[in-house]
Amino acid sequence: MLKGEQYVPKFNKSEADRVQILMAVYRVEEKDTDIVVTFNIPLSAVDGGAVAGDNLAKLQSDFDAFVKSFKIVDFDLFA
């Protein structure tokens, strides 16, 4: 699992948006592949679309719940 931040310039704006990245990588050894899940959460955005407070905590909680509950039920999805 990984948690980090990046600054992303968008649509020729003068300021970059600050985005929190939550990432989990699952190795599926039986199929020699990886599954990558990311949540990209805007912490500050020029357009005002940032997430903060309780909403940020909820998204982080949702990510944690996803990571703990993720389960592959049909391995035939993989080549």
Side-chain angles (χ1 to χ4, degrees), residues 26-70:
Y26 299 91
R27 181 74 184 145
V28 184
E29 292 183 18
E30 298 87 352
K31 297 295 183 172
D32 195 30
T33 194
D34 298 326
I35 297 173
V36 179
V37 176
T38 61
F39 281 28
N40 301 321
I41 306 168
L43 300 176
S44 66
V46 174
D47 67 3
V51 175
D54 290 342
N55 291 331
L56 178 58
K58 173 74 170 111
L59 287 170
Q60 291 171 335
S61 175
D62 288 348
F63 179 79
D64 291 341
F66 177 91
V67 167
K68 291 176 185 173
S69 66
F70 179 74

Side-chain angles (χ1 to χ4, degrees), residues 28 31 33-35 70-79:
V28 184
K31 297 295 183 172
T33 194
D34 298 326
I35 297 173
F70 179 74
K71 180 176 154 184
I72 300 169
V73 294
D74 184 359
F75 281 88
D76 290 334
L77 294 171
F78 302 95

